[in-house]
Amino acid sequence: MPEILWPLVSNVIRRNKLSNTFGRFPERVSGVHWGWDFYAKAGTPCFAIADGSIDLVYGHTSDTGSFGQVAVLKFTHASRTLYAAYCHLSGVVATVGRSVRAGDQIGFTGNSGNAANMRGPDEHLHFEIRTSSRPPPGGEPFRISPLRVFGRCPLHAPIVEP
């Protein structure tokens, strides 16, 4: 099976809160969260988790709704085509159609979309594993838990990529 890397050098769930992982949580305003929020100061480089290609780049850094600027990596895992979405970015260095190797830089984390006013410990990369490049709203089958790809969740301690 191809190697899966982490999207940041240091990967830890924002504020070490379970509600910043994948699933339904009564304390969230929407009640649900369909990705993982990795703590990351704006401007932190983010990387391809697997060999693949950049399938889609959309949104703008000035967006204040939803995901802001997004880059989507198409990759194969366990004989299945999946898409890794990197959201709230401040910039994208990869271009649509470009082939990338695991560990190549995709872009920079930021405060775009509904993360526009988040600072300090709330800054983050919203990261999703999708079954299509730009799915409709909602969870499964359109989005799957990143735990199914990574096999572990950095909830209380960072996982540092060498």
Side-chain angles (χ1 to χ4, degrees):
M1 186 176 306
E3 182 179 15
I4 297 293
L5 301 178
W6 291 86
L8 302 168
V9 170
S10 180
N11 302 270
V12 68
I13 299 299
R14 178 170 62 101
R15 292 189 177 262
N16 300 311
K17 288 180 64 176
L18 184 62
S19 60
N20 287 325
T21 64
F22 185 92
R24 296 187 180 281
F25 303 99
E27 67 271 22
R28 290 193 71 86
V29 172
S30 67
V32 296
H33 193 244
W34 299 128
W36 283 355
D37 286 351
F38 291 107
Y39 167 73
K41 298 286 286 173
T44 300
C46 51
F47 306 96
I49 64 165
D51 294 350
S53 62
I54 303 303
D55 194 66
L56 188 62
V57 174
Y58 64 93
H60 302 281
T61 58
S62 61
D63 286 350
T64 56
S66 195
F67 296 126
Q69 189 171 43
V70 178
V72 180
L73 170 69
K74 180 180 180 180
F75 68 103
T76 301
H77 177 70
S79 301
R80 185 175 182 190
T81 299
L82 295 172
Y83 301 83
Y86 301 72
C87 308
H88 305 313
L89 300 178
S90 63
V92 177
V93 298
T95 55
V96 173
R98 177 179 152 207
S99 292
V100 296
R101 305 283 300 175
D104 286 353
Q105 188 172 354
I106 299 286
F108 296 94
T109 63
N111 300 109
S112 62
N114 59 15
N117 295 317
M118 294 186 174
R119 299 292 180 263
D122 287 317
E123 292 179 278
H124 65 281
L125 169 69
H126 177 79
F127 181 83
E128 294 183 352
I129 300 292
R130 299 173 171 179
T131 56
S132 66
S133 191
R134 196 165 184 181
E140 296 196 75
F142 310 114
R143 292 165 178 84
I144 63 172
S145 173
L147 187 60
R148 291 173 53 185
V149 170
F150 290 103
R152 58 188 173 145
C153 178
L155 182 57
H156 297 294
I159 295 173
V160 178
E161 196 66 50

